[in-house]
Amino acid sequence: MGKYAMKGVPDIIILIPPKGTFVGVECKQKGKYLSKEQKEFQKRLEKIGGVYILCRDLKDIQEILW
């Protein structure tokens, strides 16, 4: 990320029609954890009705989106 980017923004951002639901997908390897900034982003996103997915495997996304 560049120096002007907001810290904690997910790796993948999806907008789901028709309402434009914001889905943030953070990809992590097994054994890696969310940073303080990522946890804060997740908390704020979910508070306003968005969906945050911590993805360690494709199944993590499929369970929620399909």
Side-chain angles (χ1 to χ4, degrees):
M1 286 270 177
K3 66 180 180 177
Y4 299 108
M6 180 179 171
K7 289 186 177 183
V9 175
D11 296 318
I12 301 169
I13 295 173
I14 304 167
L15 297 174
I16 300 177
K19 296 181 181 181
T21 302
F22 186 110
V23 178
V25 181
E26 181 61 37
C27 303
K28 292 285 185 195
Q29 294 177 350
K30 187 176 180 179
K32 302 290 182 177
Y33 301 95
L34 296 176
S35 68
K36 180 179 110 179
E37 293 85 5
Q38 290 167 330
K39 289 177 186 176
E40 181 60 29
F41 190 97
Q42 176 182 10
K43 182 179 172 182
R44 291 171 48 204
L45 178 60
E46 291 174 342
K47 185 176 182 179
I48 62 168
V51 177
Y52 192 94
I53 301 170
L54 175 56
C55 179
R56 297 184 189 282
D57 187 290
L58 185 57
K59 293 177 194 172
D60 297 333
I61 295 175
Q62 290 172 330
E63 290 174 2
I64 294 171
L65 298 180
W66 285 282

